Structure formats: structure tokens, C-alpha cells
Amino acid sequence: MAALSAWFWNERFWLPHNVTWADLADPAPGVEYPKAGHLLAALPLAVGIFAVRILFERFIASACARRLHIQAGVGRRAQPNAVLEKVFTSITTNPDTRHLDGLSKQLDWDVRKVQRWFRHRRNQDKPGTHTKFCESMWRFTFYLGIFIYGLQFLWQSPWLWDTRHCWYGYPYQVMTSGLYHYYVIELAFYWSLMFSQFIDIKRKDFLVMFIHHLATVGLVSFSYANNMARVGSLVLCVHDTSDFLLEAAKMANYAKYQRLCDFLFIVFSVVFFITRLVIYPLWVLNSTMFESWAIVGPFPSWWLFNILLLVLQVLHIFWSYLIFRIALKALLRGKVRPIYLSNHNRILVFCFEVQ
């Protein structure tokens, strides 16, 4: 085990040349450098955030949904049938013609009745509009709150105004309480999303979103462990800027305020384009790739960090193209309705239907 730990925490990978873990282990009194162990605090905090989410959705978001006439009604449920339930849970949720014919003969039902049963059974597992509104309201509240906190913290930080301060004195940069709280809260939130997947209604994107949350946790933890938290905080803030707008558009859609939904989608699109295609490459990537090269110089974890950020930029370009295409179709053909949307640190995966 010790050998594995020594291999994983190899100084030549994580730290610049001529810097060792021992150099960072004993700072001056009152000075604290980031340590991977600090991130363990995110786990109990994640449990707390998840508990707050349950209470928020049940007592606050649910009340707001009812005020907007979004009822928590249960759709039509499939009639109990042991044979079809076994097929649904262990073989397929959408049987082909061969399966339908076989089940029709076995149950002495016509094929359309079997098809209806599977359709009702699939819909039974889908979250209703009330549930989706409550989830979006919780995420909107968190994203807006963490964005305000992050912006307030960064406004007082020198690296917001001059990104070279992300690298001056690296890696001997003090971990302030504000920066630590920003990181740990963000990390805890994504841990809580991972927890909730095993308790919420299972969705078809379960595996994709689990991998997405895991990748987010990994990227945030990686940047903290090698003390790139200053530039990491800029990355978080850039992505937080549009997240709450997306959730606000979803809430307006669920409440059937279509004009408000369209307006918020347009605002979200503009903010997304500016933050992901202008600010992120010209401000963040310029600092991580060029300013850091001139001030600190490259080392293995530096290369990996920049590769991950470049991959994220490629995804930004791809998503921006999709959003532009959706917006163009909406202008030419009619309104836009979000079908499936989710955020990543952050990776944004979404699909819209133009009506």
C-alpha cells in the first residue's frame, strides 16, 4: 500500500522541478497549503447538502410548484401483471415485434394492449413535471448562491484582475478560507448529486451522469491537490455564470411560461457564448498555458491539467454550435422546449425539441 501511495503521489508528476512534498509540509505559522486530505470534509458536507435538498424540495420548491399550478399528480399506472413486469425489469423495457407476439399469445392479449402496458410502465418510471420543477428550483438556488459567493470572493482576489497572480509564488500559495470554502462547497455539491442518483427515480442517463459527476469530482480534486486552486476558482466561476440561467429557463418551461422560457433561453445562450467562447479561452486558457509557462514552467501535472481544460474548450465549441442551431430553428419555426438538460463542470449535456 505504501508503494502504491508513493507511486501515485510522485513528486515529479505533481510538482514543479526542485519542489518536494516536504517543502510544503511545514509552512510558517498561520500559513496553510492545500493538502488532498482537506477535501475529505466535502463528504459529510455532501450528506448535509443532500439533506437540505430533500427539505428544500419538499417544503419550499413543492409549495412554489403548487402556487404555479404544477400539481404532483401521478400519471396513469400500468395494471399489475407479473409476466410483463418480469420482462420489463429483466429483459427489455421496449419489446420488439417478436417479443410482443409471444407475450400476446401467452397472455391472450392483443398486441396493442401489450404495447400500451409497456408504454404506461415506462411512463410510470419517469419523473413528473412537479418533480422536475422541484429539482430545477433546487439547482437554480444552489447555482445562483454559489455564483454570488464565488463572484464576491473573487472580486477581492488579485488573480481576478491579473491572472498572473495565479502563478506568482506557485506552488507556495496560501490556501485562504474563502478559496477553501468555495472549492469544498462545489465539490460537496457534486458528491451529493452522485449520492442522489441512487435514491432518485432511475433514469436512462444514469450511467452517463454518474460518469459525468465522477469526472467533475476528479477534476476539482486534481486542481486542488496540486494547488492550482486559484485558476480553478476562475474556471468554476466562468461555468457558474450560465448554470442558474439554464435552470431558470427549465422552471419557466415546466410552469408553462413560454415567453419567459424563450427569453431566459436567449439570455442563457448569449451568456454561454460569451463565457465559454470568449472569456474562457482568452482569460483562463491564456493564463494556464502561456502565463504559467513563463512564470512557473511546464511539468507533468501541468500538461495533464491543460489537456483537460483544452478538451473542455472543444466541448464548449460543440455545445455552442448545438445551442446556436437550436436558437436558429426556434426563430425560424417556433418555440423551443427543453427536453433533457444537465450541467457539467463542468460539462453541459442537453437536447432540445423545437416545436
Side-chain angles (χ1 to χ4, degrees), residues 28-314:
V31 173
E32 188 70 55
Y33 297 137
K35 295 183 176 64
H38 295 167
L39 298 178
L40 293 176
L43 295 176
L45 182 58
V47 176
I49 288 176
F50 181 63
V52 171
R53 174 203 159 180
I54 293 174
L55 296 174
F56 180 90
E57 291 184 3
R58 180 170 300 178
F59 296 107
I60 299 178
S62 184
C64 291
R66 288 193 297 270
R67 293 275 293 183
L68 293 168
H69 308 292
I70 304 172
Q71 300 302 322
V74 179
R76 187 171 180 179
R77 302 180 71 87
Q79 67 183 82
N81 187 294
V83 174
L84 296 181
E85 185 68 27
K86 184 176 181 180
V87 173
F88 184 88
T89 55
S90 60
I91 299 176
T92 178
T93 60
N94 193 12
D96 56 20
T97 303
R98 181 175 61 85
H99 280 105
L100 288 172
D101 289 339
L103 292 169
S104 175
K105 292 176 182 179
Q106 182 179 352
L107 298 171
D108 195 23
W109 288 7
D110 62 63
V111 172
R112 294 193 66 179
K113 185 176 180 180
V114 177
Q115 287 177 318
R116 270 198 309 273
W117 188 95
F118 276 94
R119 183 172 65 253
H120 292 158
R121 183 64 181 82
R122 287 193 298 271
N123 291 337
Q124 185 176 309
D125 284 347
K126 292 180 179 178
T129 302
H130 184 277
T131 300
K132 291 189 286 188
F133 177 89
C134 292
E135 289 181 357
S136 288
M137 188 172 179
W138 160 246
R139 295 192 185 201
F140 167 81
T141 303
F142 177 84
Y143 290 141
L144 179 60
I146 198 65
F147 171 69
I148 293 173
Y149 173 84
L151 188 61
Q152 182 182 26
F153 163 72
L154 288 172
W155 199 265
Q156 306 170 41
S157 303
W159 59 89
L160 177 69
W161 310 105
D162 183 355
T163 52
R164 290 173 296 181
H165 282 278
C166 292
W167 311 106
Y168 289 151
Y170 180 85
Y172 305 102
Q173 294 176 339
V174 177
M175 174 55 61
T176 64
S177 60
L179 183 55
Y180 172 75
H181 293 146
Y182 191 24
Y183 251 72
V184 169
I185 292 171
E186 291 267 19
L187 185 60
F189 178 71
Y190 280 94
W191 274 119
S192 74
L193 291 182
M194 291 181 66
F195 298 156
S196 66
Q197 279 195 286
F198 295 94
I199 299 173
D200 292 341
I201 296 172
K202 292 291 175 63
R203 301 179 183 179
K204 60 183 179 181
D205 65 332
F206 175 88
L207 182 60
V208 173
M209 293 311 300
F210 181 80
I211 294 173
H212 145 256
H213 297 325
L214 192 62
T216 302
V217 167
L219 186 57
V220 172
S221 301
F222 176 81
S223 63
Y224 187 92
N226 67 351
N227 203 6
M228 293 185 180
R230 289 186 178 182
V231 75
S233 66
L234 300 181
V235 175
L236 290 173
C237 188
V238 165
H239 288 79
D240 287 337
T241 305
S242 60
D243 287 349
F244 68 90
L245 294 170
L246 180 58
E247 297 300 331
K250 290 164 65 176
M251 288 193 295
N253 176 70
Y254 299 143
K256 301 188 184 304
Y257 290 112
Q258 191 59 51
R259 290 186 178 180
L260 179 60
C261 175
D262 294 341
F263 171 75
L264 289 171
F265 175 73
I266 292 171
V267 175
F268 159 75
S269 301
V270 172
V271 172
F272 188 93
F273 294 150
I274 293 173
T275 54
R276 311 297 173 96
L277 300 184
V278 180
I279 295 177
Y280 180 80
L282 298 182
W283 189 46
V284 177
L285 288 182
N286 177 69
S287 180
T288 62
M289 297 181 65
F290 302 110
E291 292 178 347
S292 64
W293 182 293
I295 296 171
V296 180
F299 51 98
S301 67
W302 178 94
W303 285 105
L304 178 58
F305 187 61
N306 276 287
I307 289 171
L308 294 174
L309 294 180
L310 285 171
V311 169
L312 191 56
Q313 178 59 27
V314 172

Side-chain angles (χ1 to χ4, degrees), residues 331-345:
L331 291 172
L332 296 176
R333 300 181 187 178
K335 63 185 179 181
V336 61
R337 178 169 69 92
I339 298 271
Y340 162 68
L341 310 108
S342 58
N343 299 309
H344 187 325
N345 172 38

